[in-house]
């Protein structure tokens, strides 16, 4: 079975400070990992993905994530947070290229960036 | 701009009264998905279409059906909505299932069951 865990329900950070939103995963094969952001009453927006290659993935709006196989983690990071980054962030995983195509989402982490 | 459109944004129905939610896309993607997202929970995949091939998740209730009459449109039919079906329903698309598999989501339809 494949799953992701987002250990923090909420992350608070001051504007201009670096931010990290944590995600760990569990799959039996090679993981495909994704980060999505959801603003209130809106659908999810794709930020970035890791399938293979460079462990550091750069995505939209200045976000990046680092794939760490030994720690089975895929933490989302941004060097300097903006108030407009405040939203709900979902990590998702699917296993490799077969055995189903469902994305398994974490429960989400609410990011609050204060001025 | 290419996009995923969902109509209506808000839908109110009565217990047991059939309801249809609509999704359309201008991305010309092969795959369309329907997710259910209940309050404060992660989205849960109900089913997806790869072109005309329908794929139902094992735990999706029979009460939920879907139609994809052409590449651009996909419908979610709830035959007899129960109170537990009140949720946000998200439509998503992807170019394919493997290499270009990032999903693009519509704004969602919030369903209320009275």
């Amino acid at each position: 079975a494949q799953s992701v865990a987002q250990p923090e329900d909420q992350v608070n950070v001051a504007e201009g400070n670096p931010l990290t939103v944590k995600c760990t995963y569990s799959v039996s094969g090679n993981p495909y990992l994704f980060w999505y952001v959801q603003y209130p009453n809106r659908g999810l927006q794709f930020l970035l993905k890791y399938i293979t290659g460079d462990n550091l993935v750069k995505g939209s709006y200045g976000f990046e994530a680092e794939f760490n196989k030994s720690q089975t983690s895929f933490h989302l990071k941004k060097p300097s947070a903006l108030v407009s980054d405040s939203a709900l962030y979902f990590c998702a995983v699917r296993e490799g290229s077969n055995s189903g195509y469902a994305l398994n989402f974490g429960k989400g982490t609410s990011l609050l960036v204060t001025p | 701009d290419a996009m995923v459109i969902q109509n209506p944004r808000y839908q109110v129905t009565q217990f047991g009264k059939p309801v249809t939610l609509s999704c359309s896309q201008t991305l010309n993607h092969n795959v369309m998905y329907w997710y259910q997202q209940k309050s404060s929970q992660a989205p849960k995949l109900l089913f997806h279409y790869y072109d005309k091939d329908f794929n139902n998740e094992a735990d999706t209730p029979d009460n939920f059906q879907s139609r994809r009459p052409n590449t651009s449109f996909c419908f979610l039919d709830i035959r007899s909505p129960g109170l537990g079906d009140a949720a946000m329903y998200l439509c998503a698309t992807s170019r394919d299932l493997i290499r270009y598999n990032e999903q693009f989501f519509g704004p969602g339809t919030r369903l209320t069951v009275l």
Side-chain angles (χ1 to χ4, degrees):
Chain A
Q2 55 195 20
S3 65
V4 292
Q6 293 180 244
E8 302 153 318
D9 289 337
Q10 182 160 324
V11 170
N12 298 318
V13 64
E15 187 173 31
N17 284 357
L19 70 87
T20 298
V21 183
K22 295 180 180 178
C23 172
T24 58
Y25 67 89
S26 174
V27 297
S28 56
N30 294 320
Y32 287 11
L33 293 156
F34 303 80
W35 275 103
Y36 286 84
V37 59
Q38 186 175 33
Y39 296 97
N41 296 313
R42 301 287 297 274
L44 280 70
Q45 294 180 31
F46 170 77
L47 283 178
L48 51 81
K49 72 175 181 180
Y50 171 84
I51 294 180
T52 186
D54 196 348
N55 289 344
L56 184 62
V57 179
K58 293 187 182 297
S60 306
Y61 314 120
F63 284 94
E64 59 187 30
E66 185 167 11
F67 172 66
N68 188 316
K69 188 173 183 178
S70 63
Q71 297 185 7
T72 62
S73 67
F74 189 59
H75 301 330
L76 181 70
K77 298 182 179 183
K78 187 173 183 180
S80 179
L82 301 172
V83 172
S84 57
D85 292 330
S86 298
L88 188 59
Y89 289 81
F90 288 97
C91 181
V93 68
R94 53 168 276 198
E95 182 180 343
S97 60
N98 51 27
S99 69
Y101 303 103
L103 279 180
N104 283 279
F105 286 88
K107 60 181 175 62
T109 298
S110 179
L111 173 67
L112 179 63
V113 182
T114 52
Chain B
D1 288 340
M3 54 198 307
V4 181
I5 302 161
Q6 290 188 244
N7 286 306
R9 294 291 309 276
Y10 300 90
Q11 176 73 57
V12 180
T13 190
Q14 292 180 337
F15 183 94
K17 184 175 182 180
V19 65
T20 295
L21 309 182
S22 170
C23 177
S24 63
Q25 54 130 340
T26 61
L27 298 160
N28 202 33
H29 281 175
N30 290 313
V31 192
M32 295 187 77
Y33 309 78
W34 278 105
Y35 287 85
Q36 179 191 63
Q37 185 181 22
K38 295 188 175 180
S39 182
S40 303
Q41 295 185 21
K44 181 180 179 302
L45 183 66
L46 295 172
F47 26 60
H48 76 271
Y49 274 94
Y50 185 95
D51 195 11
K52 295 181 180 179
D53 293 333
F54 177 72
N55 295 270
N56 200 31
E57 292 301 301
D59 55 356
T60 298
D62 293 339
N63 197 26
F64 292 87
Q65 305 285 322
S66 186
R67 295 170 284 136
R68 189 178 185 187
N70 53 52
T71 300
S72 301
F73 284 87
C74 194
F75 300 99
L76 170 62
D77 300 310
I78 308 177
R79 293 192 297 186
S80 181
L83 298 178
D85 297 327
M88 176 76 87
Y89 289 88
L90 298 170
C91 175
T93 73
S94 66
R95 185 170 160 184
D96 63 35
L97 291 168
I98 308 298
R99 180 175 174 85
Y100 300 103
N101 57 5
E102 55 268 36
Q103 296 180 21
F104 296 88
F105 285 78
T109 295
R110 184 168 295 283
L111 177 68
T112 300
V113 182
L114 301 177

